[in-house]
Amino acid sequence: MPAFSTTAPAAARVQIQNNSNERVVVNLSGRLMLSSSYAEFDCKAVEMSPSEVVFQCAAFPAIGERIVAYVDHIGRLECTVTRHVDHGFVCKISTTDRKREKLAAQLTWLANKHQFNLPEDRRHERVAPNNNTSELSLDDGRNYPCRIIDLSMSGAAVEIDVRPAMGTPVRLGNMRGRVVRHFQEGVAIEFANVLSREGLQMLV
């Protein structure tokens, strides 16, 4: 996870506790799937705490419906809709204590990134591939199945069970890169060479 800048303004940094219900503004894009129809929709997580998330989405699930969402910077979230609000709905996040602690750390970084105008992790627009199944390979020959959450010209976010160390050289399909960030459900990879727009379109 990116370190805070030592030159940030002398203001109080936000610290999110894993047992806190206080939500912070995040405005993160993603996709969600409804349990009732298995249909997928673009969504935006507008506010989030370690236990709740507020979504805006074209879908309008019923109270009590379970959804699975993949949110930029956060990863996979399993949620249950608890109430409707203007232009969206609130979900209770179902997760383990360990993952809730990781989510609190992610939200802490996001809250301070907005407050101190810290740089984004990725330089290019991200897209979700039509075929999201792939394989992550290490230089020692080990291979792991993974799911591509999103791709950009400079990198990718993948859902995977293992966490190679930061800086580890990897190959995602035919693309060489290195691990630059860990998040709740996987890792972020920076490609060794920036793709052209045509090259990115060939992957999605």
Side-chain angles (χ1 to χ4, degrees), residues 23 44-48 52-57 59-63 81-92:
R23 297 194 297 259
K44 177 175 284 189
V46 291
E47 295 182 356
M48 189 179 298
E52 283 189 333
V53 55
V54 181
F55 284 113
Q56 290 180 345
C57 183
F60 204 65
I63 292 175
V81 179
T82 57
R83 64 186 184 275
H84 297 147
V85 294
D86 289 343
H87 311 297
F89 51 93
V90 181
C91 292
K92 180 180 180 181

Side-chain angles (χ1 to χ4, degrees), residues 148-161:
I148 300 175
I149 298 172
D150 60 50
L151 286 166
S152 76
M153 293 163 61
S154 56
V158 300
E159 180 183 353
I160 192 169
D161 291 334

Side-chain angles (χ1 to χ4, degrees), residues 32-45:
L32 61 79
M33 183 175 69
L34 305 182
S35 60
S36 59
S37 63
Y38 297 103
E40 289 194 7
F41 298 88
D42 291 330
C43 66
K44 177 175 284 189

Side-chain angles (χ1 to χ4, degrees), residues 127 129-131 148 151 153 174-175 195-204:
V127 294
N130 293 323
N131 180 12
I148 300 175
L151 286 166
M153 293 163 61
N174 294 322
M175 293 299 302
L195 295 172
S196 65
R197 291 191 178 276
E198 293 77 13
L200 179 63
Q201 287 302 315
M202 290 178 64
L203 294 178
V204 301

Side-chain angles (χ1 to χ4, degrees), residues 105-117:
Q106 290 170 307
L107 292 176
T108 295
W109 182 80
L110 287 167
N112 287 290
K113 177 178 74 68
H114 291 311
Q115 180 179 355
F116 297 122
N117 197 28

Side-chain angles (χ1 to χ4, degrees), residues 18 21 32 67 90 102 126 157 177 181 195:
N18 67 323
N21 291 320
L32 61 79
I67 66 172
V90 181
K102 289 186 177 181
R126 285 161 273 181
R181 184 166 59 88
L195 295 172

Side-chain angles (χ1 to χ4, degrees), residues 133-148:
T133 58
S134 189
E135 188 174 72
L136 190 71
S137 304
L138 306 186
D139 284 350
D140 62 9
R142 286 179 292 172
N143 301 304
Y144 301 96
C146 64
R147 174 189 174 276
I148 300 175

